[in-house]
Amino acid sequence: MEALDYHAEERRKAEFDVEEMKIVWAGSRQAYEISDRVARLVASDPVFRKDNRTMLSRKDLFKDTLRKAAHAWKRIIELRLSEEEASKLRFFVDQPVFTDLHWGMFIPAIKGQGNEEQQQKWLPMAYKMQIIGCYAQTELGHGSNVQGLETTATFDPETDEFVIHSPTLTSSKWWPGGLGKVSTHALIYARLITDGQDHGVHGFIVQLRSLDDHLPLPGITVGDIGMKFGSGAYNSMDNGVLRFDHVRILRDQMLMGVSQVTREGKFMQSDVPRQLVYGTMVYVRQKIVADASCALSRAVCIATRYSVVRRQFGSHNGGPETQVIDYKTQQSRLFPLLASAYAFRFVGEWLKWLYTDVTQRLQASDFSTLPEVHACTAGLKSVTTSATADAIEECRKLCGGHGYLSSSGLPELFAVYVPACTYEGDNVVLLLQVARFLMKTVSQLGSGKKPVGTIAYMGRSEHLLQCRCEVERAEDWLKPNVILEAFEARAARMSVTCAKNLNNFANQEEGFAQLATDLAEAAVAHVQLIIVSKFIEKLQQDIPGKGVKRQLEILFNVYALSLLHKHLGDFVASGCITPKQGALANEQLRLLYSQVRPNAIALVDAFNYTDHFLGSVLGRYDGNVYPKLYEEAWKDPLNETVVPDGYHEYIRPILKQHIRVARL
């Protein structure tokens, strides 16, 4: 019997070629084909089952993760998957696992910061997973303030060794994924000390566990830090705590790509510029932005599909109730998130290009774009992860009460995703780093140095501070150049205003502290401008497929105008637009929602997520929600017995009034 497709009618409404949109979303036809093939491979493998994850105990959950990771590695070898295919397979297994930092940070850091000899020694073992590594930077007492790390690496010239030590409780390494129970090695970041002199924080490759029996080596105390937020979520990961008691390692285990210590104990900078370490940072942050679009699109897919299935109120003469997605309040909350998923996808694509570009420049000793690249990656990491975390929670609310069920997929998605707001840089701290870059840019405007790249608009700040938006009708807001200038004027005005206010302080650092909130808001305006501009650049490309470009234009306008509506005060304060023009933007936004509505299901279908990957009863492709919700309820362990355990001990005495009351 063929399964019913409750979304079939919605899919027939689509005004564009969904298959072509899938290719646009994936980035290329080849990427789409690889993603589609690997996703189905994972979905069809019973070992990768995940519908029972939230019901497992912590120990069972962790063992299940070990089993999946081992099976994934076995399949990668058996099928001779390419690096891209292997990465996709791990992605679609969709479970935080000890290999995440091994592939995502341990290996890239050795490639980016190790010298040629170290790469030849360690990378072959790491690629074959003969060793398993993690990345241990954060400590119990220090996270974002890397320069405040307390772990020490003191060189002993008599033995040609470094002595790694945790001098305080707060110097304990805390949080690294894979550290708690699995990793055999770690990249440890510690204060390099030679001859009593502190040379700041450097990286060291340290073996933690025996390769024979997996026991911690002498002087090493290591374990798991305990349960985290959510049921399954990151509790499948062995985030760890690590302390060193005068652990000795060979001198050549210090990452010596950019600096080194000689046999005599002399600290030297390498011929390779220290700025090369930024390559690893850019790589990691562009990956985080790409992950934001994936997490956001998953949540939006679930909420959109369920909003079509769910009906509430509005029935007349015994007719069907209104689909929740047809309420304007639902559209105004959901469709900007749908547009954001596409916007983040496209800016993520651009960041991949930026990473390639900056890597080539660094290798050619061209460091001219580094400050801008640092600001871009820091700002985009902050804005996209914060927006995505908020959006996942909003999607849960958009699904009403059923969104609170684990089987909706949304609580666990939220619990897995929210750490992104703090790892690899706290989001507020990162915004303030962007703000410092913007303030420096403003201060140099009169020097004749022309801003380029994502800050090129600052070179026209004099015009932008005086420009007036030429919007007379709502449809004028559909012009990309009008939107772009409004975003440029807002960003320029906020940065220039902050710079002027900073000049009122005799002490610049005191000014930064007092104006931190304004500076962070100026940074957000700058980053949102980058996302808008990269979406426009995407629209200027040759996009094949019936109606695909038209849908992207609609989504672009929804994204930009919803931001304008949300931050209307900033735009009006910039002097570029009037309150009336702001009202016209809102009027146009309502019309755009009506254009998104017939295509909503097709637009989330273009993400091409299998039901296995979504892990949501509410977000099922066929829309068969209610029978499946009912079916899932009976799978809960509490329903294994009709009369609950503890009935005779606790419930029956209450019902029969057989409670013994003790007297004081």
Side-chain angles (χ1 to χ4, degrees), residues 598-663:
N599 299 285
I601 287 294
L603 285 167
V604 299
D605 283 353
F607 302 147
N608 201 37
Y609 294 144
T610 63
D611 283 346
H612 174 273
F613 180 67
L614 277 183
S616 170
V617 173
L618 303 188
R620 291 174 58 89
Y621 183 84
D622 63 11
N624 191 24
V625 170
Y626 299 123
K628 293 298 179 181
L629 275 176
Y630 188 80
E631 184 182 311
E632 284 296 313
W634 293 105
K635 293 179 182 178
D636 193 280
L638 275 182
N639 287 322
E640 289 175 0
T641 59
V642 177
V643 177
D645 294 341
Y647 166 77
H648 291 286
E649 190 176 359
Y650 302 112
I651 301 173
R652 184 179 171 82
I654 294 174
L655 293 171
K656 300 300 183 182
Q657 302 296 298
H658 290 165
I659 300 174
R660 294 183 180 180
V661 181
R663 295 180 181 275

Side-chain angles (χ1 to χ4, degrees), residues 123-144:
L123 290 178
M125 292 188 290
Y127 278 124
K128 293 175 184 175
M129 292 198 74
Q130 293 170 328
I131 61 173
I132 298 171
C134 66
Y135 186 91
Q137 178 173 291
T138 298
E139 295 177 352
L140 188 57
H142 289 90
S144 295

Side-chain angles (χ1 to χ4, degrees), residues 229-363:
F229 187 55
S231 301
Y234 253 93
N235 291 304
S236 60
M237 177 78 84
D238 55 326
N239 297 91
V241 53
L242 171 67
R243 295 199 73 186
F244 297 100
D245 183 4
H246 299 92
V247 173
R248 290 179 173 268
I249 63 170
L250 298 175
R251 177 171 56 89
D252 65 6
Q253 286 176 240
M254 168 186 168
L255 289 179
M256 294 192 181
V258 294
S259 56
Q260 56 189 294
V261 172
T262 66
R263 176 65 186 86
E264 297 72 33
K266 183 181 178 182
F267 175 74
M268 297 175 57
Q269 291 291 345
S270 164
D271 293 337
V272 177
R274 183 164 178 76
Q275 289 94 329
L276 275 179
V277 300
Y278 283 98
T280 305
M281 178 203 70
V282 176
Y283 170 80
V284 172
R285 287 184 179 164
Q286 64 91 16
K287 181 73 169 60
I288 291 173
V289 174
D291 288 345
S293 72
C294 291
L296 176 51
S297 58
R298 284 179 70 173
V300 167
C301 185
I302 294 167
T304 301
R305 287 177 176 171
Y306 181 61
S307 294
V308 167
V309 170
R310 187 70 168 178
R311 292 177 178 269
Q312 292 286 286
F313 307 111
S315 65
H316 300 286
N317 303 320
E321 292 179 280
T322 302
Q323 290 170 285
V324 170
I325 199 169
D326 286 328
Y327 289 106
K328 291 298 179 184
T329 48
Q330 191 83 350
Q331 293 178 6
S332 67
R333 295 162 65 194
L334 178 60
F335 291 165
L337 304 184
L338 173 58
S340 297
Y342 278 88
F344 293 175
R345 190 70 168 189
F346 299 146
V347 81
E349 282 181 6
W350 172 74
L351 266 189
K352 282 185 181 178
W353 170 85
L354 188 69
Y355 168 65
T356 303
D357 180 70
V358 76
T359 301
Q360 292 171 348
R361 287 174 181 269
L362 290 174
Q363 290 170 347

Side-chain angles (χ1 to χ4, degrees), residues 440-510:
K440 185 176 181 180
T441 301
V442 173
S443 70
Q444 294 175 339
L445 288 178
S447 67
K449 185 178 179 181
K450 190 176 180 182
V452 295
T454 55
I455 50 165
Y457 71 98
M458 285 285 195
R460 296 181 289 107
S461 59
E462 192 172 332
H463 161 73
L464 292 172
L465 294 179
Q466 299 174 357
C467 73
R468 297 292 178 267
C469 185
E470 296 180 2
V471 167
E472 297 178 357
R473 301 169 302 169
E475 55 265 35
D476 290 339
W477 278 116
L478 298 178
K479 300 172 183 175
N481 62 310
V482 171
I483 290 174
L484 185 62
E485 187 172 66
F487 273 80
E488 288 177 338
R490 170 206 180 204
R493 172 64 180 264
M494 293 178 76
S495 288
V496 169
T497 300
C498 282
K500 287 180 178 177
N501 291 337
L502 273 175
N503 289 334
N504 295 329
F505 290 85
N507 184 308
Q508 282 285 297
E509 288 307 309
E510 182 188 350

